[in-house]
Amino acid sequence: MISDPELDGAGETRPAQPAEEPPPRGGEAAGAGARRPWLWALGGAALASVLWAGGLYAFGERLAAPEISYRATQNLCLDFEARALSRIAGGLHRYRPLNRQDDHPAVRRAICQLQNGESISTLTVHVRVDLHRKTDPGPEFDALSIPLFAEMDPGRTEEVRGLGERALLLVGPGGGSVELKVLHGGAVFTVTATGTGSAPDTPADTSALRAAMVEDARALMTALKE
């Protein structure tokens, strides 16, 4: 009698055993459940980067624009009275003051030139006000002019306290020229005095000249303050 291959021994029926799958290898043990959080985190970081870059693109000019607390002058030679400089070098507004304004989207600039003589001047004063509308001038404020030749004397630099955010006095070789630079937010004030020192109405003492420049620069900042 031919026996049934599904019957064994005492007539018990054994269910068919499913085929065994090979064990997972290495990182596959965790399967998709391990990869999905990592992909989600990567996608979230990428999305955040895109949103951040888009925000900088949309608001970049607003973020970079410095704060300006001074009004734009319509005539710098009228606003810059130069009372202290005139006391030590004679009237500086009597001899055809030169005035100019440049209104650029990035920088609003005003320039004034004064002198204490008609054809021959022993003291010339240049004043400039730059209102930076787009970028902060602070990082470049300390960048001084580099001499054309290495052997040229670059002069000396002095820091003035209590004037704007930062203020520097640049005294040229021999004291023939003095430049005062003042930084306050997006505004930069520059006063330059150049003289021969060979006439009675020219301040040979640069300490008096520097003090007068600081006083007149402070008065100008007060006049333009909004």
Side-chain angles (χ1 to χ4, degrees):
M1 181 176 179
I2 300 175
S3 62
D4 192 333
E6 295 292 332
L7 299 178
D8 180 51
E12 295 179 356
T13 303
R14 291 183 179 179
Q17 298 294 328
E20 295 183 359
E21 296 181 358
R25 295 175 300 174
E28 295 180 359
R35 290 194 297 268
R36 287 173 184 168
W38 180 81
L39 292 175
W40 176 88
L42 179 61
L47 178 61
S49 298
V50 170
L51 293 177
W52 174 252
L56 289 180
Y57 180 81
F59 302 102
E61 291 188 356
R62 183 183 302 176
L63 292 174
E67 181 180 357
I68 300 177
S69 56
Y70 297 92
R71 64 175 176 86
T73 175
Q74 300 301 321
N75 190 320
L76 182 56
C77 289
L78 290 180
D79 290 319
F80 183 73
E81 298 182 353
R83 292 183 178 181
L85 286 170
S86 296
R87 284 197 300 265
I88 63 177
L92 290 170
H93 285 84
R94 295 184 299 173
Y95 304 99
R96 294 180 301 177
L98 300 179
N99 185 79
R100 192 184 75 186
Q101 287 83 31
D102 295 324
D103 192 2
H104 189 274
V107 180
R108 172 67 183 261
R109 174 170 295 168
I111 299 174
C112 171
Q113 177 179 316
L114 304 172
Q115 58 189 32
N116 65 347
E118 181 66 29
S119 58
I120 300 177
S121 176
T122 56
L123 181 67
T124 302
V125 178
H126 294 267
V127 186
R128 192 176 80 193
V129 178
D130 294 323
L131 303 181
H132 295 258
R133 297 168 169 171
K134 298 294 185 180
T135 57
D136 182 10
E140 299 180 358
F141 182 75
D142 291 331
L144 305 179
S145 300
I146 301 177
L148 295 177
F149 305 98
E151 62 272 13
M152 292 181 63
D153 183 4
R156 67 182 188 274
T157 303
E158 303 173 3
E159 187 170 359
V160 181
R161 299 185 181 275
L163 187 61
E165 295 178 14
R166 289 207 62 193
L168 297 175
L169 267 169
L170 314 177
V171 183
S177 64
V178 181
E179 181 180 80
L180 172 64
K181 297 170 55 181
V182 184
L183 170 70
H184 192 183
V188 177
F189 299 83
T190 305
V191 180
T192 305
T194 304
T196 61
S198 59
D201 57 353
T202 300
D205 183 6
T206 57
S207 62
L209 180 63
R210 297 196 301 270
M213 293 172 65
V214 170
E215 181 179 342
D216 287 339
R218 180 177 283 110
L220 175 63
M221 295 173 67
T222 301
L224 298 181
K225 187 75 173 177
E226 289 187 328

